[in-house]
Amino acid sequence: MKWNIPNILTSFRIALIPVFLVIFYLPMEDARFWAAFIFWLAAITDALDGYIARRFNQFTKFGEFLDPVADKAMVVAALVVIVEDYNSAFITIPALTMICRELIVSALREWMAQSGNRAKVAVSSLGKWKTVAQMIALIGLLWNANIYIYWLSMFLFYAAFVLTLWSMWEYLRGASKELTRK
């Protein structure tokens, strides 16, 4: 395995998951802020590792495998935390739908790659917009500093929910010929 900057950032993002969880549940006044900050830091490393890999051609097989795993693991951890914290169907239903979408699209990509059709389900701009809305919404919902941040975060959370469904539909549509083959 080649340790380059993108792979180090991706590994760092995975290492942040237990830190994020412990800090969120610490009985201290600023725990939510620091948990949101750690999630923000993880989101920044996600964008940064991809930029560095593209800019300096630092792609590795390890990075191709680990980067999407790190992204999904951090987002799923945050989604589970907010489901438990808010204890509301208005959070739980979209959050669990987002988790299910990640599982479905990941499995679809794996299956399509095995049949030599990975390009048909490559990350789209719609998926990237979903990720941006989801990350910002989760930062705000984790922090929950005031009513304005809460409502902006809820708006972005539901925008991410719509983009989650839409992008999943697009990925499934892109794979439809392979999925309906006998």
Side-chain angles (χ1 to χ4, degrees):
M1 175 181 63
K2 183 178 179 184
W3 284 103
N4 57 24
I5 300 295
N7 289 347
I8 291 168
L9 289 171
T10 299
S11 299
F12 176 66
R13 192 161 61 254
I14 290 173
L16 284 177
I17 295 169
V19 175
F20 157 74
L21 293 169
V22 167
I23 288 177
F24 185 85
Y25 288 106
L26 281 177
M28 61 184 216
E29 187 177 329
D30 293 334
R32 293 183 76 101
F33 167 79
W34 289 111
F37 177 81
I38 289 170
F39 187 83
W40 170 84
L41 182 61
I44 293 300
T45 66
D46 179 25
L48 193 57
D49 71 11
Y51 171 77
I52 292 170
R54 285 185 301 279
R55 175 77 169 87
F56 298 103
N57 196 28
Q58 293 188 350
F59 296 101
T60 65
K61 292 290 182 190
F62 177 72
E64 285 179 34
F65 158 72
L66 197 60
D67 182 64
V69 171
D71 302 344
K72 286 164 187 40
M74 189 64 166
V75 168
V76 167
L79 287 167
V80 169
V81 164
I82 67 163
V83 162
E84 185 268 335
D85 187 54
Y86 285 85
N87 193 24
S88 163
F90 294 109
I91 296 284
T92 301
I93 292 168
L96 292 180
T97 302
M98 290 175 191
I99 292 169
C100 289
R101 180 260 190 211
E102 295 303 331
L103 292 170
I104 291 166
V105 171
S106 293
L108 180 65
R109 285 191 177 127
E110 167 108 13
W111 184 75
M112 291 293 283
Q114 288 177 358
S115 66
N117 292 299
R118 171 109 176 150
K120 292 181 181 177
V121 289
V123 176
S124 68
S125 59
L126 193 59
K128 289 180 182 183
W129 281 110
K130 182 266 312 170
T131 299
V132 169
Q134 187 177 56
M135 295 291 197
I136 296 170
L138 287 171
I139 291 165
L141 289 170
L142 289 164
W143 185 19
N144 197 15
N146 59 48
I147 194 71
Y148 304 109
I149 288 175
Y150 170 79
W151 283 112
L152 174 61
S153 300
M154 284 300 287
F155 172 79
L156 289 171
F157 189 67
Y158 272 86
F161 175 59
V162 169
L163 292 171
T164 291
L165 295 173
W166 186 5
S167 63
M168 183 175 66
W169 170 255
E170 289 298 318
Y171 291 131
L172 288 169
R173 197 168 61 94
S176 64
K177 287 182 182 171
E178 291 300 315
L179 290 170
T180 56
R181 269 187 161 172
K182 290 186 179 189

